[in-house]
Amino acid sequence: MTRRKANKRTSLLLLVGGAVLILVLGLFITGWGVRVAEALARAVEALVPSEVSFTREGGDTVPEQVKPKVVHVETPARVKSIYMSQCVVGTPTFRDSLVELVDTTELNSIIIDIRDYTGKISFPTTHPLLADSVSDACGATDMKEFIARLHEKNIYVIGRITVFQNPYYTSQYPEQAVQSTKGGVWKDKKGLAFVDVGAREYWDSVVALAEESYAIGFDEINFDYIRYPSDGPMAEAVYRNEGKSKPEMLEEFFKYLHSKLESSGMVTSVDLFGMTTTNTDDLNIGQVLERALPYFDYISPMVYPSHYPNGFNGYANVNAHSYDIVYYSMKEAV
């Protein structure tokens, strides 16, 4: 409901309430007041917007504090976005300069890190599965209010969640991490740990974070690092795949996520390696384009030329063929 509509409805309620008060006072003089007042109170309650709830104290109807519903911006036909890390969104001068950039260009959306490579969350929450993961280094304590200001400018807000790369969670629950044949938690070449895709006990926390983010105003939830590790001492990595292949296990997660979030109306997207558009295998990370398609509203293949090996599609220097790689990849995906 827009602010203008809200003001009109408030004015209407005040007029109705005033008329009811005058009528009830008159009826009390005639002795019919009690019964008629109760009927009128029910009628007034029916006129009040659904977002206003009531409690009854001593037989009286007392309105509680209004909690306005979060309004989401519709997905633009063409999303043209800029990215804010957790530290940027928590720095008002920096983020305001980027909002101004959106205001003065053809950009129409902003991607904000909800959870980044640290495993920490960028906004406050009291959810029991998430509260201990709130970052004390970066993030915005006013995230909900900031998103509301972006919505006033009709800016579409995408929240990015790093999924299985999660050093903080694995430090708290090392038994749910990818394990090493040498003992302990496996880590990639950057020293970062991954939650095992087969750690089903972790899945609900991902669902909870998506739901909490949508509830404070994020219009689209984007899932990144939704895969098995891709670099580091790969031969030493041990997974609990329940007898399934990596693509099968990852699709189990896609399916679970979709089943839990679909009814909310949430718009979802997933980041996949760019080469999922051209390869028919899973790139040893579990990602297969066709296995992701049924479970997300949008697929975002990361077709950055720098992610491709020299020699791809015959290009000796992939960075000299940006257009060719993006065009070829997207054509093959279709």
Side-chain angles (χ1 to χ4, degrees), residues 67-88:
K67 294 181 180 179
K69 295 178 180 177
V70 171
V71 177
H72 292 278
V73 171
E74 187 175 351
T75 309
R78 292 180 177 85
V79 173
K80 300 182 180 183
S81 192
I82 196 166
Y83 165 72
M84 286 187 187
S85 68
Q86 288 191 3
C87 289
V88 169

Side-chain angles (χ1 to χ4, degrees), residues 277-278 289 303 313 324-334:
T277 62
T278 55
L289 181 62
V303 290
N313 206 33
D324 299 315
I325 287 176
V326 173
Y327 176 76
Y328 174 72
S329 298
M330 301 311 292
K331 179 170 67 70
E332 288 299 301
V334 172

Side-chain angles (χ1 to χ4, degrees), residues 12-296:
L12 174 62
L13 290 170
L14 289 173
L15 288 171
V16 172
V20 167
L21 179 60
I22 293 169
L23 181 58
V24 169
L25 287 172
L27 287 168
F28 264 111
I29 295 171
T30 66
W32 292 7
V34 176
R35 253 186 303 172
V36 176
E38 289 176 349
L40 287 171
R42 287 193 294 271
V44 172
E45 187 171 338
L47 286 169
V48 175
S50 59
E51 57 265 38
V52 179
S53 56
F54 284 79
T55 56
R56 295 190 179 276
E57 297 177 0
D60 295 329
T61 302
V62 181
E64 294 179 346
Q65 183 178 2
V66 177
K67 294 181 180 179
K69 295 178 180 177
V70 171
V71 177
H72 292 278
V73 171
E74 187 175 351
T75 309
R78 292 180 177 85
V79 173
K80 300 182 180 183
S81 192
I82 196 166
Y83 165 72
M84 286 187 187
S85 68
Q86 288 191 3
C87 289
V88 169
V89 77
T91 308
T93 53
F94 201 160
R95 76 185 186 187
D96 289 348
S97 67
L98 295 181
V99 173
E100 184 180 359
L101 180 63
V102 177
D103 274 341
T104 55
T105 66
E106 62 189 88
L107 296 170
N108 57 21
S109 66
I110 294 176
I111 300 169
I112 299 172
D113 268 340
I114 293 171
R115 182 167 66 203
D116 64 8
Y117 71 94
T118 65
K120 290 300 191 79
I121 299 168
S122 63
F123 62 85
T125 174
T126 57
H127 193 289
L129 292 178
L130 307 171
D132 67 340
S133 299
V134 176
S135 176
D136 54 6
C138 288
T141 56
D142 65 340
M143 187 75 82
K144 183 175 182 179
E145 292 75 19
F146 177 57
I147 293 172
R149 292 201 295 276
L150 296 178
H151 284 169
E152 288 175 359
K153 296 173 176 289
N154 201 36
I155 296 173
Y156 187 68
V157 188
I158 303 170
R160 173 180 173 267
I161 296 176
T162 296
V163 180
F164 290 110
Q165 184 191 71
N166 194 330
Y168 176 73
Y169 187 89
T170 53
S171 70
Q172 303 301 301
Y173 304 96
E175 73 283 359
Q176 296 181 38
V178 175
Q179 302 296 303
S180 172
T181 55
K182 294 184 176 179
V185 174
W186 181 93
K187 295 181 180 180
D188 67 10
K189 67 181 182 182
K190 295 179 181 178
L192 301 175
F194 277 66
V195 179
D196 196 314
V197 175
R200 292 178 182 265
E201 54 267 55
Y202 173 68
W203 295 6
D204 282 334
S205 69
V206 180
V207 171
L209 183 55
E211 290 174 336
E212 287 279 288
S213 303
Y214 186 67
I216 67 167
F218 283 98
D219 303 305
E220 176 180 324
I221 306 300
N222 170 257
F223 299 96
D224 198 4
Y225 282 85
I226 192 165
R227 59 173 176 80
Y228 286 83
S230 62
D231 54 65
M234 300 301 296
E236 297 171 10
V238 179
Y239 310 105
R240 45 164 155 164
N241 281 355
E242 304 174 358
K244 298 180 175 68
S245 66
K246 286 181 179 179
E248 290 170 338
M249 195 69 234
L250 195 58
E251 187 174 3
E252 286 283 308
F253 177 71
F254 293 161
K255 191 181 302 182
Y256 185 81
L257 203 58
H258 177 72
S259 70
K260 294 293 184 179
L261 301 178
E262 182 183 22
S263 62
S264 68
M266 182 189 304
V267 178
T268 61
S269 59
V270 61
D271 295 335
L272 300 180
F273 265 26
M275 290 179 70
T276 59
T277 62
T278 55
N279 279 47
T280 55
D281 63 5
D282 73 332
L283 301 166
N284 201 33
I285 59 171
Q287 289 184 350
V288 176
L289 181 62
E290 293 83 353
R291 288 182 179 270
L293 288 173
Y295 306 112
F296 301 93

